[in-house]
């Protein structure tokens, strides 16, 4: 695997990853490996969760950022570093720079979540808000680097960054030496590429499966074309893997060493995030939950033991609230019903009594009395209910019809 920059040729090797591991000693945590009984039962084989959501700064990004900045020449450090990111890379660069005594400037989109902006500042970076999308922010950061001499720290397309991320792979082999499949989310590809370099050098029989969000899946068409191609207007809640074009070096490594790249839907991401929270008691961002989403979509397709890499846990509370609602709806845990009843005192109380008997929790009620389709003494009621799953939804509908209510589909 090679990387050409400024006329030089560099490679990413197992020795690079091992060197990065030594450099990160005392800096990055060796994150926990947690077993998942629920996922193991679904997959018919042991499933373990590699908890990079518990890494310093809340994601794996510190590893690559630290190795990259630590490798700078003294004159490069003196000039400072600059990065562009909506969150995880920003925090990784900020903390790594502070630990190494290097001034960092981080460009973030104007719409970046406030908790991520605040955290990046608290880690020591000078934050500049520019642009509405990451591409605009990236251009601003590169212009800043060109005019000031600051070193641009790429989030995934550099050998040092990939070597740093590859230390996750070494930890997996140490913590779960019997592993047969590693599942990891892919955005630009730095994490998957680093894990692949480390793991395939030591255990070439281990399958490595990459996962992308359907709305931002640049790798399948790129691999089919044999070169990186862009996805126009990538769209997904998983901002950590929302990258429109693969990195050149990660693409080469992934094409050589990663066995398969799968895609998952937004519903599957929501369900995976909800499962991590409910069953594993782990707060995981949508990108970090993507390997779990792949396991849920086809649990029997992964030879075990399986390790799913939870790459990050930096989820905006507002997004978390929306995603959890979406995930519960996807699992049949919410039910919206419209029905007609006689508009008289006590009618709503009687309806709620029926729902109480079948143990459906009412979240919201709205009345319509002015629709011309309604009879003079009729009202239409829309109910939003919390249920226990699809079977319970059916039970609720049957109870309402048995009580004589007209349920409007």
């Amino acid at each position: 695997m090679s990387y050409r920059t400024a006329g030089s040729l560099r490679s990413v090797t197992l020795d690079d990853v091992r060197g990065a591991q030594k450099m990160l000693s005392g800096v990055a945590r060796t994150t926990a490996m947690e077993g998942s009984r629920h996922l193991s039962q679904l997959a018919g084989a042991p499933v373990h969760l590699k908890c990079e959501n518990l890494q310093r700064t809340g994601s794996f990004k510190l590893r690559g950022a630290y190795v990259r900045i630590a490798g700078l020449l003294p004159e490069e450090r003196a000039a400072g570093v600059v990065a562009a990111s909506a969150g995880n890379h920003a925090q990784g660069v900020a903390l790594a720079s502070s630990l190494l005594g290097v001034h960092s400037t981080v460009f973030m989109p104007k719409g970046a979540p406030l908790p991520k902006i605040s955290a990046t500042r608290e880690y020591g970076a000078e934050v500049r808000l520019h642009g509405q999308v990451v591409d605009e922010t990236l251009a601003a950061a590169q212009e800043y680097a060109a005019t000031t001499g600051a070193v641009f720290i790429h989030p995934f397309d550099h050998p040092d960054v990939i070597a740093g991320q590859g230390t996750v792979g070494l930890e997996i082999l140490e913590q779960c030496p019997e592993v047969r499949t590693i599942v990891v989310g892919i955005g630009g590809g730095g994490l998957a590429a680093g894990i692949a370099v480390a793991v395939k050098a030591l255990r070439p029989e281990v399958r490595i499966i990459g996962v992308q969000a359907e709305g931002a899946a640049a790798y399948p068409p790129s691999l089919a074309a044999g070169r990186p191609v862009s996805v126009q207007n990538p769209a997904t809640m998983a901002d950590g893997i929302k990258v429109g074009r693969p990195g050149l070096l990660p693409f080469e490594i992934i094409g050589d060493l990663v066995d398969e790249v799968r895609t998952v839907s937004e519903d599957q991401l929501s369900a995976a995030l909800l499962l991590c929270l409910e069953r594993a008691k782990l707060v995981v961002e949508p990108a970090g939950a993507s390997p779990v989403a792949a396991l849920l979509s086809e649990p029997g397709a992964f030879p075990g033991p399986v390790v799913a890499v939870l790459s990050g846990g930096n989820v905006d509370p507002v997004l978390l609230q929306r995603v959890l609602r979406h995930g519960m709806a996807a699992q049949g845990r919410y039910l919206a019903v419209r029905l007609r009843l006689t508009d008289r005192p006590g009618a709503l109380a009687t309806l709620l009594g029926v729902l109480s008997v079948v143990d459906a929790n009412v979240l919201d009620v709205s009345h319509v009395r002015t629709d011309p389709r309604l009879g003079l003494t009729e009202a239409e009621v829309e109910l939003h209910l919390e249920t226990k799953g699809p079977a319970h939804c059916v039970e609720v509908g049957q109870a309402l019809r048995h009580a004589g209510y007209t349920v409007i589909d």
Side-chain angles (χ1 to χ4, degrees), residues 184-317:
V184 56
I186 296 181
L191 177 61
I195 289 174
V197 168
V199 172
K200 289 291 189 178
L202 295 169
R203 293 276 308 282
E205 76 280 8
V206 173
R207 286 181 56 79
I208 299 178
I209 309 298
V211 183
Q212 292 207 285
E214 287 178 354
Y219 266 88
S222 296
L223 292 169
R227 57 181 176 79
V229 297
S230 298
V231 171
Q232 299 302 315
N233 302 316
T236 174
M237 73 176 78
D239 58 350
I241 53 175
K242 186 180 175 181
V243 178
R245 183 182 176 88
L248 291 174
L249 180 55
F251 174 77
E252 183 180 351
I253 296 172
I254 286 170
D256 287 345
L257 299 180
V258 171
D259 295 279
E260 182 184 357
V261 176
R262 291 173 167 250
T263 61
V264 292
S265 68
E266 300 298 284
D267 283 351
Q268 289 164 343
L269 287 169
S270 297
L273 190 151
L274 183 60
L275 183 145
C276 289
L277 189 62
E278 285 191 323
R279 297 300 183 99
K281 314 307 177 190
L282 292 168
V283 177
V284 182
E285 62 190 272
S290 59
V292 176
L295 285 166
L296 291 176
S297 68
E298 194 177 354
F302 304 89
V306 180
V307 173
V309 181
L310 307 182
S311 58
N314 292 318
V315 57
D316 178 39

Side-chain angles (χ1 to χ4, degrees), residues 12-13 16-17 20-21 24 64 67 158-167 194:
V12 183
T13 67
D16 293 327
V17 181
Q21 189 176 45
L24 288 167
V67 173
H158 192 280
D160 292 345
V161 172
I162 292 172
Q165 321 304 29
T167 59

Side-chain angles (χ1 to χ4, degrees), residues 33-338:
M33 182 84 75
E34 298 286 346
S36 172
R37 181 162 53 182
H38 180 72
L39 288 172
S40 298
Q41 289 173 342
L42 288 177
V47 175
H48 305 280
L49 306 175
K50 176 61 172 167
C51 299
E52 281 297 289
N53 59 310
L54 303 180
Q55 184 57 261
R56 297 178 71 179
T57 75
S59 88
F60 71 96
K61 289 288 190 177
L62 172 65
R63 298 173 183 264
Y66 187 91
V67 173
R68 172 75 173 103
I69 297 169
L72 296 178
L73 299 173
E75 58 269 26
E76 292 175 318
R77 291 195 188 194
V81 300
V82 60
S85 168
N88 288 347
H89 181 57
Q91 294 173 66
V93 169
L95 179 56
S97 299
S98 295
L99 293 172
L100 292 164
V102 177
H103 180 267
S104 62
T105 303
V106 176
F107 285 77
M108 303 182 76
K110 293 179 179 178
L114 290 177
K116 294 186 177 183
I117 295 173
S118 298
T120 303
R121 286 190 173 124
E122 289 172 8
Y123 286 128
E126 176 188 346
V127 175
R128 300 193 180 192
L129 302 180
H130 183 92
Q132 300 299 324
V133 296
V134 174
D135 287 344
E136 296 172 355
T137 309
L138 180 64
Q142 291 172 325
E143 181 181 351
Y144 178 89
T147 57
T148 66
V151 178
F152 179 69
I153 307 300
H154 200 285
F156 49 81
D157 203 1
H158 192 280
D160 292 345
V161 172
I162 292 172
Q165 321 304 29
T167 59
V168 175
L170 293 181
E171 290 180 16
I172 289 172
L173 294 183
E174 292 164 2
Q175 294 170 310
C176 185
E178 68 277 16
V179 63
R180 293 180 62 197
T181 304
I182 297 173
V183 191
V184 56
I186 296 181
L191 177 61
I195 289 174
V197 168
V199 172
K200 289 291 189 178
L202 295 169
R203 293 276 308 282
E205 76 280 8
V206 173
R207 286 181 56 79
I208 299 178
I209 309 298
V211 183
Q212 292 207 285
E214 287 178 354
Y219 266 88
S222 296
L223 292 169
R227 57 181 176 79
V229 297
S230 298
V231 171
Q232 299 302 315
N233 302 316
T236 174
M237 73 176 78
D239 58 350
I241 53 175
K242 186 180 175 181
V243 178
R245 183 182 176 88
L248 291 174
L249 180 55
F251 174 77
E252 183 180 351
I253 296 172
I254 286 170
D256 287 345
L257 299 180
V258 171
D259 295 279
E260 182 184 357
V261 176
R262 291 173 167 250
T263 61
V264 292
S265 68
E266 300 298 284
D267 283 351
Q268 289 164 343
L269 287 169
S270 297
L273 190 151
L274 183 60
L275 183 145
C276 289
L277 189 62
E278 285 191 323
R279 297 300 183 99
K281 314 307 177 190
L282 292 168
V283 177
V284 182
E285 62 190 272
S290 59
V292 176
L295 285 166
L296 291 176
S297 68
E298 194 177 354
F302 304 89
V306 180
V307 173
V309 181
L310 307 182
S311 58
N314 292 318
V315 57
D316 178 39
V318 175
L319 175 62
L320 179 61
Q321 187 178 41
R322 293 206 311 266
V323 170
L324 289 177
R325 284 200 302 264
H326 188 78
M328 291 180 72
Q331 288 189 348
R333 302 267 293 277
Y334 286 142
L335 175 64
V337 294
R338 287 188 304 133

Side-chain angles (χ1 to χ4, degrees), residues 354 396-405:
V354 174
V396 170
Q398 290 173 341
L400 290 170
R401 291 183 177 89
H402 182 72
Y405 292 103

